[in-house]
Amino acid sequence: MFTGIIAEQGTVIDIKSSPGVDSGELVLSAPVSSEGLEPGGSIAVNGVCLTATDNHDGQLHLDVMGETLHRTTTGQLQPGDRVNLERCVPAGGRLDGHVVQGHVDGVGSLVWRQPHTQWELLRFAVPQALARYIAEKGSIAVDGVSLTVTAVSGAAAEEAWFDVGLIPTTLDETRLGSLPPGSPVNLEVDVLAKYTERLLAFGGRSGQ
């Protein structure tokens, strides 16, 4: 489990895939986040939970399954790209953001950003299928960053969107600070909303 509090921006060294093989390997420079991360350990890369296969000299090697390459922005990464990194929260650790699983629900895109004094307002387009899970003052993870939603599109809107406000710390310490309009981002909605919908779909049946 993660909390959406980014510890470091890593740098993509390489992303490898073989013809006919529906998987790959992501190699990152991550001097802070790699410390003490054993093979088999988990780390969130732009909000995607990945498993480390090797770790030496501040370089992480991570397995990437085909599902991840197809359904997140991971497959679009290029050498030199900066990525948000978070290690999983230890038992008893502080939950400073919100419950983030590292299971991306869909890909959105930055529509525009509006600078203000000491902060910025950003609007993201979101797939219609995810819009019902996003609520004003609720939580959402954007490229692994825990954010509070400040406004949402109406239920009948043809194009779904949501707004978030970024404080200086988020602008300085995550890749969202330099993201240009049009950029794709990984989105993970609040897991409680998804489970609530699933329970309601069964109409209170116990399953017995």
Side-chain angles (χ1 to χ4, degrees):
M1 188 186 79
F2 306 93
T3 69
I5 304 300
I6 303 305
E8 177 186 18
Q9 290 188 69
T11 303
V12 176
I13 297 175
D14 196 8
I15 182 163
K16 307 173 183 179
S17 60
S18 301
V21 178
D22 198 21
S23 63
E25 181 185 47
L26 180 63
V27 184
L28 301 177
S29 172
V32 175
S33 301
S34 63
E35 186 174 352
L37 180 60
E38 298 291 336
S42 297
I43 187 169
V45 180
N46 283 347
V48 181
C49 180
L50 297 175
T51 300
T53 59
D54 193 15
N55 177 8
H56 62 274
D57 298 328
Q59 287 190 12
L60 284 178
H61 293 247
L62 307 159
D63 273 341
V64 185
M65 299 301 293
E67 177 83 356
T68 302
L69 292 171
H70 299 320
R71 300 189 64 172
T72 75
T73 63
T74 307
Q76 302 174 40
L77 291 174
Q78 300 291 326
D81 285 349
R82 303 284 281 172
V83 290
N84 295 327
L85 301 176
E86 181 191 0
R87 294 279 297 275
C88 53
V89 64
R94 293 182 182 277
L95 190 64
D96 289 330
H98 72 283
V99 175
V100 177
Q101 296 181 301
H103 302 161
V104 171
D105 295 300
V107 174
S109 62
L110 178 61
V111 179
W112 48 253
R113 55 191 313 147
Q114 186 179 88
H116 292 262
T117 303
Q118 300 296 317
W119 65 286
E120 285 192 36
L121 181 68
L122 276 66
R123 174 165 294 182
F124 291 94
V126 59
Q128 284 285 357
L130 295 183
R132 64 183 181 273
Y133 302 116
I134 305 172
E136 185 176 342
K137 305 305 178 186
S139 296
I140 191 166
V142 179
D143 271 353
V145 183
S146 175
L147 298 170
T148 300
V149 177
T150 60
V152 294
S153 55
E158 292 185 4
E159 297 183 357
W161 54 264
F162 66 91
D163 291 350
V164 293
L166 303 188
I167 61 174
T169 299
T170 306
L171 292 169
D172 292 340
E173 297 184 5
T174 78
R175 67 186 301 267
L176 299 184
S178 58
L179 206 64
S183 299
V185 292
N186 295 319
L187 301 175
E188 181 183 333
V189 299
D190 192 338
V191 65
L192 297 179
K194 292 186 288 185
Y195 275 116
T196 299
E197 181 183 64
R198 181 66 172 166
L199 288 168
L200 291 173
F202 279 83
R205 287 179 286 155
S206 65
Q208 298 180 348

